[in-house]
Amino acid sequence: MEVAGEVLASESQLHVLAVDDSHVDRKVIEKLLKISSCKVTTVESGARALQFLGLDEEKGSLGFNGLKVNLIITDYSMPGMTGYELLKKIKRSSTFREIPVVIMSSENILTRIDSCLEEGAEEFLVKPVKLSDVKRVMNDCIMRGETEGNKRRRVDKRKFEDDNHASSSSSSSSSSIPSSPSSPLPSSPSTAATSSPLHSLKRAKLRDHN
Amino acid sequence: MDVVNQLQRQFIDYSASLHREGFLDDQFTQLQKLQDDNSPDFVVEVASLFFEDCEKLINNMARALEQQQGVDFRQVDASVHQLKGSSSSIGAMRVKDVCVAFRSFCEAQNREGCLRCLQQVTHEYSLLKNKLQTLFRQQILAAGGSIPVVE
């Protein structure tokens, strides 16, 4: 929905930061995200991802091209900093912990999936990642943004727009409302660290898919 | 017009045979579907990156396996793991299958087994490279064949 897109990003498209040490995988994930109407920045390591976010220097949440990051999608197995370590750093940062993080891995290991979800990952995708996976993640991200207190902001913004007869066209995800089992989110407030209702929903969904 | 059909037929048949013989799996088809007007060379570009990766990783494996002082199997395994990942992402099924076997030998710290796998993976990679180059050539011909031939 176009309004959700506006609330989540400074422009109408979601900006995704993709992290993967494999050049082939970076190219593929970039294409999948672009087809899903996202702005994409790809980096080859966790360290680069943190640099882009400005996390090492605590400069705030703007990347060096000034665009806010709406989602981080990262490979699990990377030399240096693993995707899991990157996830932890992001979730332990007061500035960035609200950014949803998705983990990708070629290995479908239940303990690995569990640890990632426990640390606050939104989803765990098994590689090779398909377009349907990416579309589902983007939809879930928008839905999540909706139910986590953005509704009030959205109403205010819509009111503002009605007053000004503004109607911005949006190129944000044109996928229809998802019918995936992970939505809708429960209305109970989630804890800062783990979003536990979402966690158990996700885990259940992953198990079903196995 | 008949020439066009022939070229297109040839491309389709060749593509089907590559799938049938296990060189390519469904992931390759998925990548072909992602190609569009914004990225008309997407598949060729991904394939080029894949072949660059193959060469680099195969060299790494060979160097690691040559070490006289003792092979660092974890290093070999790290390269095989990366190659397995890339081949899976592009749909290079036979290359990926060799990598699976290769990893078992790494885990068992079996140098002979590793060397055999290295040979096999090198072989599969060059086979695939030739076949994909043929496929891409045929694709160009099949597309370019829409210009009518003046007799």
Side-chain angles (χ1 to χ4, degrees):
Chain A
M1 285 174 35
E2 65 177 278
V3 183
E6 285 164 34
V7 170
L8 286 172
S10 52
E11 324 204 353
S12 57
Q13 284 181 311
L14 296 180
H15 179 205
V16 182
L17 177 63
V19 190
D20 202 313
D21 59 316
S22 158
H23 204 166
V24 170
D25 288 354
R26 278 202 301 281
K27 187 153 180 87
V28 173
I29 194 71
E30 180 186 46
K31 185 65 186 168
L32 292 174
L33 288 165
K34 282 190 169 157
I35 285 185
S36 306
S37 307
C38 298
K39 278 200 165 65
V40 191
T41 300
T42 58
V43 294
E44 64 195 0
S45 69
R48 284 254 180 271
L50 293 176
Q51 267 175 8
F52 182 79
L53 291 168
L55 189 53
D56 346 329
E57 290 150 46
E58 298 290 341
K59 277 194 183 132
S61 63
L62 296 180
F64 44 59
N65 64 355
L67 277 179
K68 197 168 149 66
V69 171
N70 301 118
L71 173 80
I72 296 168
I73 182 164
T74 177
D75 189 27
Y76 184 94
S77 318
M78 296 187 290
M81 191 188 305
T82 64
Y84 179 66
E85 285 158 359
L86 176 62
L87 166 68
K88 281 200 290 192
K89 285 198 154 71
I90 289 166
K91 291 302 169 184
R92 285 165 199 194
S93 146
S94 50
T95 334
F96 298 111
R97 65 166 173 244
E98 289 308 309
I99 303 180
V101 181
V102 171
I103 309 282
M104 305 179 279
S105 175
S106 54
E107 286 163 319
N108 194 1
I109 301 171
L110 205 52
T111 48
R112 180 180 288 191
I113 297 172
D114 277 352
S115 346
C116 289
L117 294 179
E118 262 157 46
E119 278 298 326
E122 288 305 306
E123 299 237 12
F124 187 100
L125 300 177
V126 178
K127 283 180 162 184
V129 175
K130 298 194 202 357
L131 186 57
S132 52
D133 294 327
V134 172
K135 286 195 157 152
R136 190 190 73 231
V137 163
M138 298 320 300
N139 277 329
D140 287 353
C141 177
I142 293 174
M143 294 288 283
R144 178 187 175 273
E146 283 271 324
T147 56
E148 282 196 3
N150 283 346
K151 273 195 178 132
R152 178 180 300 150
R153 246 194 284 161
R154 180 179 65 142
V155 169
D156 289 345
K157 199 155 164 69
R158 187 188 280 158
K159 185 174 185 304
F160 177 80
E161 279 181 326
D162 285 344
D163 291 344
N164 289 281
H165 303 287
S167 58
S168 46
S169 65
S170 165
S171 54
S172 62
S173 170
S174 54
S175 312
S176 52
I177 305 293
S179 52
S180 68
S182 65
S183 61
L185 294 171
S187 53
S188 56
S190 50
T191 60
T194 58
S195 305
S196 36
L198 179 60
H199 162 102
S200 53
L201 274 172
K202 295 291 184 204
R203 206 204 284 159
K205 182 173 65 136
L206 283 165
R207 286 211 171 117
D208 289 344
H209 280 206
N210 291 346
Chain B
M1 274 21 96
D2 200 36
V3 174
V4 174
N5 288 338
Q6 273 176 31
L7 290 171
Q8 288 175 346
R9 170 101 268 133
Q10 194 174 42
F11 167 70
I12 291 167
D13 287 348
Y14 192 66
S15 182
S17 75
L18 291 183
H19 280 82
R20 212 171 36 241
E21 290 163 24
F23 286 101
L24 299 172
D25 65 24
D26 185 61
Q27 181 64 14
F28 188 79
T29 311
Q30 295 301 318
L31 294 185
Q32 286 177 309
K33 287 182 185 167
L34 297 181
Q35 188 158 293
D36 58 17
D37 291 338
N38 290 331
S39 57
D41 299 318
F42 176 68
V43 182
V44 172
E45 287 168 2
V46 177
S48 305
L49 290 174
F50 173 64
F51 294 134
E52 273 174 32
D53 250 9
C54 278
E55 281 172 37
K56 186 186 75 178
L57 293 169
I58 286 174
N59 281 336
N60 290 349
M61 295 169 204
R63 262 202 313 272
L65 285 166
E66 266 166 33
Q67 295 304 316
Q68 297 306 323
Q69 295 91 328
V71 175
D72 183 349
F73 285 98
R74 259 183 340 192
Q75 203 184 11
V76 182
D77 184 68
S79 293
V80 179
H81 173 75
Q82 283 190 48
L83 184 58
K84 178 171 165 262
S86 302
S87 54
S88 165
S89 296
I90 196 181
M93 194 161 83
R94 278 159 67 141
V95 174
K96 186 190 73 178
D97 287 345
V98 177
C99 289
V100 173
F102 204 152
R103 291 197 82 189
S104 302
F105 286 116
C106 288
E107 213 175 336
Q109 307 212 345
N110 180 335
R111 187 165 177 267
E112 284 310 309
C114 284
L115 286 170
R116 274 200 308 275
C117 283
L118 179 63
Q119 215 174 15
Q120 239 183 315
V121 96
T122 308
H123 176 66
E124 288 298 339
Y125 146 69
S126 39
L127 267 183
L128 181 64
K129 189 169 180 183
N130 282 336
K131 289 183 184 288
L132 280 184
Q133 281 169 343
T134 303
L135 183 70
F136 294 143
R137 233 179 356 253
Q138 289 189 349
Q139 193 168 30
I140 292 169
L141 287 175
S146 58
I147 300 166
V149 175
V150 179
E151 308 209 65

